Amino acid sequence: MSAVVDTKRISVPEIIAKKAVRQPVVCLTCYHAHTARLLDSHVDLMLVGDSLGMVIHGMENTLGVTLEMMILHGQAVMRGAKKALVVVDMPFGSYEESPQVAFRNAARVISETGAQAVKLEGGERMAETVHYLSQRGIPVMGHIGLTPQRIQIFGGFKTQGRTEAEWPAIEADAKAIAEAGAFSMVLEGMAEPLAAKITGQVPVPTIGIGASAECDGQILVMEDMLGLNPKPPKFVRTYANMGEDIEAAVKAYAADVRARTFPGVENVYQMKKKTG
Ligand SMILES: Nc1nc(=O)c2c([nH]1)NC[C@@H]1CN(c3ccc(C(=O)N[C@@H](CCC(=O)O)C(=O)O)cc3)CN21
Ligand SMILES: CC(C)C(=O)C(=O)O
Ligand SMILES: [Mg+2]
């Protein structure tokens, strides 16, 4: 018998349980199989974010991302992720209309990708939908504060809750989706003390991005922290300079091809030796 490899996947209840024991929930976005494999043993949760429209498809915002794109990338990530919990973003237009439409589309995401959960943007106005999905077997991660799918309403990617007058509405959003059954929630782009306050008010883990170190977990767009975004937002810490590394590698390859030093003897095939 072959050795038993520990590939048990982290579950939704295990993510929730981390809050009580103050274990930070480590999250990154992930859009491909090869990066999923590299991230798998280091993160608790991978989010197939609709930011993929901007980050890998070059779109100006996330509004043009389709359900088909999310399913395709969700399938790719699931082929590389064996231990981490995988969450797939519901794209703009796939869940806002009604809880029923949201369920139909979320069920496609879950059944066609094998991911554990979906994420959708919105607080109080989406609470009924969060409840409808979680009651029917689909774990939902909430997302409040700066919700990029409302870029046209906000007039840009603008940090929320920087005046106290804005706080009650955002606190009500957090409370509403927690009560509706969200298993965790992303707090994006909000003033630090507000994110800290909400983290103290809800029973499920808060996952911050441009929020606060007091959130129960953190998420970043992987390409941003790897140095692949030439103009990263202020909330990003870059842990590698992959943009520079890729350019240097491509430059060296181009020089080798032009000098005919690639391929080398080690890269080419000789004729088979004649036998007999
Ligand atoms: N590459 C990438 N990283 C992300 O984190 C990300 C995406 N794309 N696309 C979808 C959303 C959009 N996000 C963004 C993008 C830019 C800012 C930004 O420029 N913020 C300003 C502050 C703006 C203000 O408060 O007025 C900053 O300087 O950080 C914020 C969130 C976060 N998400
Ligand atoms: C930034 C995270 C939270 C997200 O929603 C995305 O990547 O789409
Ligand atoms: Mg998103």
Side-chain angles (χ1 to χ4, degrees):
M1 216 179 89
S2 60
V4 177
V5 187
D6 175 25
T7 52
K8 194 180 167 306
R9 201 182 283 279
I10 298 176
S11 68
V12 165
E14 285 171 315
I15 295 287
I16 299 172
K18 286 178 181 290
K19 181 162 181 134
V21 293
R22 298 190 58 78
Q23 261 182 30
V25 184
V26 181
C27 314
L28 277 175
T29 65
C30 190
Y31 315 132
H32 341 85
H34 65 290
T35 46
R37 181 174 50 76
L38 296 170
L39 265 50
D40 196 40
S41 54
H42 306 287
V43 302
D44 300 309
L45 185 153
M46 289 181 213
L47 170 71
V48 185
D50 61 347
S51 55
L52 65 82
M54 297 170 67
V55 177
I56 60 176
H57 293 275
M59 295 173 167
E60 218 160 274
N61 55 49
T62 58
L63 301 177
V65 175
T66 64
L67 195 65
E68 282 63 36
M69 289 165 76
M70 297 311 301
I71 290 172
L72 195 66
H73 287 283
Q75 290 168 335
V77 168
M78 286 301 293
R79 291 185 196 113
K82 302 297 171 203
K83 296 180 81 166
L85 188 119
V86 177
V87 180
V88 178
D89 256 352
M90 295 300 291
F92 177 70
S94 71
Y95 64 94
E96 302 90 329
E97 190 177 341
S98 68
Q100 289 78 8
V101 168
F103 182 82
R104 189 160 303 280
N105 288 326
R108 271 194 67 193
V109 169
I110 297 293
S111 65
E112 293 178 33
T113 67
Q116 282 71 29
V118 299
K119 178 165 77 58
L120 50 86
E121 296 181 9
E124 276 190 296
R125 74 202 143 80
M126 291 312 303
E128 187 190 349
T129 297
V130 171
H131 186 250
Y132 193 90
L133 266 53
S134 33
Q135 284 294 305
R136 285 161 181 76
I138 301 182
V140 180
M141 179 180 246
H143 182 164
I144 60 170
L146 190 173
T147 44
Q149 291 174 17
R150 285 172 80 76
I151 184 173
Q152 311 296 13
I153 302 286
F154 293 143
F157 295 130
K158 300 243 170 71
T159 307
Q160 305 292 299
R162 297 189 75 177
T163 61
E164 284 198 27
E166 294 174 37
W167 284 27
I170 303 171
E171 288 178 63
D173 281 342
K175 186 165 181 275
I177 55 173
E179 284 173 0
F183 76 91
S184 67
M185 64 185 76
V186 167
L187 307 185
E188 175 168 358
M190 64 172 74
E192 184 172 45
L194 173 61
K197 189 175 181 203
I198 289 172
T199 298
Q201 287 172 341
V202 297
V204 293
T206 59
I207 310 297
I209 173 163
S212 163
E214 285 184 53
C215 288
D216 299 302
Q218 297 293 326
I219 188 163
L220 283 176
V221 167
M222 186 196 70
E223 280 78 354
D224 290 349
M225 57 85 77
L226 291 179
L228 284 163
N229 182 348
K231 278 190 201 149
K234 166 187 157 77
F235 58 80
V236 174
R237 181 177 291 167
T238 49
Y239 289 86
N241 298 303
M242 280 190 56
E244 287 169 25
D245 290 350
I246 290 174
E247 223 191 314
V250 171
K251 193 174 162 199
Y253 165 76
D256 285 354
V257 171
R258 292 192 177 108
R260 298 189 189 281
T261 58
F262 175 83
V265 283
E266 73 282 15
N267 306 119
V268 296
Y269 302 91
Q270 302 305 331
M271 297 295 286
K272 280 182 181 161
K273 293 207 170 62
K274 284 206 179 80
T275 52

